[in-house]
Amino acid sequence: MLATPAALAGEGTARYYSSKQPYVAPASTSYSAIPNRYHLAYTESVVRHGSRGLSRYKYDALLALMAQSAAENNYAGFVSPEVGKEFINNVNAITAANVGNGYGMLSGQGAIQHQGIGERIYQRDADLFANAANQGLRVSYQSSGEPRATESGENFKLGFDQASNGLLANAVVAPNNPADNNSGKDFDKNTTTLYFHKTDNPDGTQKTGEAKERAERYQQFVANDEGIAKAEENVTNDPSMTTASHDLLSQIFTDDFLASIGKEEGQRIWYNTADGTKKGAANCAAGADPAKDANACGDAKKKIASEQDAAMDLYNLYIIAADMEQENTGSHTFNFDQYFQGQHAQDAKTFAWSLDAEDFYEKGPGRAGQDETYRIAQPLLDDFFNAIDTRERAGTAATFRFAHAETIIPFAALLKLPGSQQQASELYTYENNPWRGESVTPMAANVQWDVVVRDGTDASGQPYQPLVRMLYNETEIGFNDSCTPIADGSTWYKESELKSCLNGKGTTVDARLTDEEGQPETPGHESTPDDSQKAPGANHANGQREHPVKSSANGGDAVKLAKTGSNVTPAIVATVVMVSSAILGGSYARRSRRKA
């Protein structure tokens, strides 16, 4: 079994949900003071959609077919009839829950997660939004166009508007390309910056021009790169995967039945068709209406042809169940946790490594010597800077973007956020690399930039440079070590410095604030349980500069935010929103786009 560094954020839960980790709001967070003579003028973010159900009738469909075979001859393929009946009930229940919720749609947890994020961003930047209302400024809402991303944004806006008493509810930038004509009418569909990884857009249209060329180049690289193929083959063939797969399934199925699975003559393969045969009829979830939910019907090319296929399907039900707690009730009650208890928690760890390896190589830092897997996010970084530079002309106070793991993972690698700084010169493992899906891109993971400005001009007659700080999952952090802050220990950076260092051009000669520009005093530091043994300003274990943080947002008392979730101790300091382990609670009514 691969060893995992115990100190990595999120792994103390030992649940190993990979990128399906539910979002957890910081329990308490303080933010650095705005430098003297500057004021908050703008904020922007990109957020992954919240917790969701199964994206398609696939894992549950195939395991139901396999279980149907195991149930023959009085459940002869199961270790006991009781175990078999319970397993079948669990699979049927999670299918029914997804039919009720809509395959691929936001779950109740996901709605609450985004409502909480919207509430807290208003509370953090209340002065900005009050000034925006007085000045007639607007908020821009953007979506990838995928329904679960738009629904996440709608719930974010619901939380934001309720926290602000509707202060900017109608002050919305009119979209050029609305996500839909109903509840998503305020969201601008922007696939170039939020769905850049595919040539096909969520609405079925095709990208054109440079966006299409970029997506094609990325897709061809991932499909044809020998390094990626070899690494993923090594993961699949690792003995730990074989051992974990049999170990997991042996709780449920007999050894004789498991031995019957395979591609050899006389062995069993189940395809995602109505009868499990290769050329069988379309397989749709019981009770679903395919006309309203096309994802409720399976892809006939998907199959179970090995123990590992079946084990990974079961693991995928386990991790998505963590995101469906509100749907796990009544006749939809299911329990997949039971298969990953005790020694089988290590099986979950092995399968999490497998999923993490795929995301790491195809979307994240990837193998050493290439940048195709994360340079694909360049349009999003360009848009962050462009939004800052055009905010006055556009009359915007904020831009909120809603997207996917396929957006967050490469963006995190491009920015070299914590956990996303190290490429692989040998096979990626939990022993030799800090990258983890559960901490890099949990459900509702987010990155936020706050922008402050100073009126007037500097000694050369030029306008003062805007200053930027970052939050990663609502925790303030410094930018990576190639970037120089305005002063030692600060988490504020000149925009000109970020344009240089984040684009691989190194630091600028005037990255620091001069006395004339309003150089801040050395920030104070508020101790937390995580940092009590660290010297202020020490580097984090993963290479990120960790800055001291003042206990106030505007030079006064610490900003205390409402929280919708479990207590979490921030492991790093920054302004990007990510969440890790527990389920969020909340009192808002859900803004729903569920299909009937």
Side-chain angles (χ1 to χ4, degrees), residues 273-301:
T273 60
D275 62 1
T277 63
K278 189 171 185 179
K279 296 184 179 180
N283 191 23
C284 299
D289 183 350
K292 295 181 179 179
D293 187 358
N295 291 324
C297 294
D299 179 353
K301 295 189 294 295

Side-chain angles (χ1 to χ4, degrees), residues 169-472:
N170 298 314
V172 176
V173 174
N176 295 318
N177 187 15
D180 61 45
N181 294 322
N182 298 308
S183 53
K185 61 182 175 56
D186 290 336
F187 290 77
D188 202 3
K189 191 162 43 179
N190 194 332
T191 59
T192 300
T193 59
L194 300 176
Y195 205 79
F196 40 66
H197 60 293
K198 288 186 177 181
T199 54
D200 294 335
N201 296 321
D203 62 2
T205 61
Q206 286 262 327
K207 289 184 173 62
T208 59
E210 185 179 351
K212 180 180 180 181
E213 292 174 4
R214 182 182 297 107
E216 286 178 337
R217 185 170 62 249
Y218 165 74
Q219 290 176 319
Q220 290 169 4
F221 178 80
V222 170
N224 300 316
D225 182 70
E226 292 183 2
I228 293 176
K230 184 64 174 176
E232 293 182 351
E233 180 183 0
N234 287 339
V235 172
T236 299
N237 295 333
D238 192 274
S240 67
M241 290 291 291
T242 303
T243 300
S245 296
H246 187 77
D247 184 52
L248 175 67
L249 296 176
S250 292
Q251 303 174 81
I252 307 165
F253 303 98
T254 66
D255 286 345
D256 286 345
F257 181 79
L258 294 175
S260 74
I261 304 172
K263 299 178 181 179
E264 300 298 326
E265 185 175 353
Q267 289 188 303
R268 303 172 187 258
I269 295 177
W270 296 273
Y271 290 87
N272 195 355
T273 60
D275 62 1
T277 63
K278 189 171 185 179
K279 296 184 179 180
N283 191 23
C284 299
D289 183 350
K292 295 181 179 179
D293 187 358
N295 291 324
C297 294
D299 179 353
K301 295 189 294 295
K302 301 299 182 182
K303 61 183 182 293
I304 290 177
S306 68
E307 287 189 16
Q308 189 173 139
D309 290 342
M312 287 301 298
D313 286 353
L314 180 52
Y315 172 72
N316 274 291
L317 294 188
Y318 160 71
I319 59 178
I320 208 67
D323 293 295
M324 299 186 67
E325 287 204 340
Q326 291 195 10
E327 292 73 26
N328 187 1
T329 184
S331 61
H332 298 168
T333 301
F334 46 83
N335 177 11
F336 291 96
D337 283 359
Q338 64 181 302
Y339 304 118
F340 294 89
Q341 298 297 311
Q343 69 185 62
H344 300 292
Q346 291 300 303
D347 299 334
K349 181 179 179 180
T350 300
F351 301 134
W353 165 63
S354 176
L355 290 190
D356 282 355
E358 181 177 346
D359 283 341
F360 173 86
Y361 280 109
E362 296 187 8
K363 308 176 186 74
R367 65 169 179 80
Q370 65 81 38
D371 64 2
E372 290 285 347
T373 56
Y374 57 87
R375 187 58 60 184
I376 186 72
Q378 186 67 44
L380 179 56
L381 178 59
D382 293 343
D383 192 55
F384 263 64
F385 288 125
N386 182 64
I388 295 172
D389 295 341
T390 61
R391 70 190 188 285
E392 290 183 304
R393 185 165 66 251
T396 53
T399 299
F400 301 125
R401 307 170 182 87
F402 301 90
H404 307 271
E406 292 86 351
T407 315
I408 297 293
I409 294 173
F411 192 55
L414 186 63
L415 296 183
K416 293 182 172 59
L417 297 183
S420 294
Q421 299 176 340
Q422 182 180 325
Q423 292 189 300
S425 55
E426 55 184 331
L427 182 65
Y428 161 86
T429 70
Y430 280 3
E431 284 185 315
N432 62 24
N433 199 294
W435 199 96
R436 303 288 185 276
E438 66 181 15
S439 54
V440 170
T441 183
M443 295 294 189
N446 56 91
V447 177
Q448 179 186 341
W449 287 8
D450 283 337
V451 181
V452 298
V453 299
R454 179 179 172 182
D455 297 330
T457 57
D458 60 22
S460 66
Q462 297 297 313
Y464 290 102
Q465 272 286 314
L467 307 182
V468 181
R469 72 172 172 193
M470 178 168 60
L471 306 182
Y472 193 18

Side-chain angles (χ1 to χ4, degrees), residues 31-49:
Y31 298 96
S32 60
I34 293 173
N36 293 334
R37 290 173 283 188
Y38 286 80
H39 64 273
L40 188 60
Y42 184 72
T43 193
E44 59 180 327
S45 66
V46 60
V47 193
R48 183 188 179 189
H49 63 74

Side-chain angles (χ1 to χ4, degrees), residues 25 68 85 109-110 127 146 157 171 177 264 275 305 322 439 482 510:
Q68 185 178 2
K85 291 174 183 178
Q109 275 167 271
D127 288 347
E146 184 75 49
K157 188 175 186 299
N177 187 15
E264 300 298 326
D275 62 1
S439 54
S482 72
D510 59 349

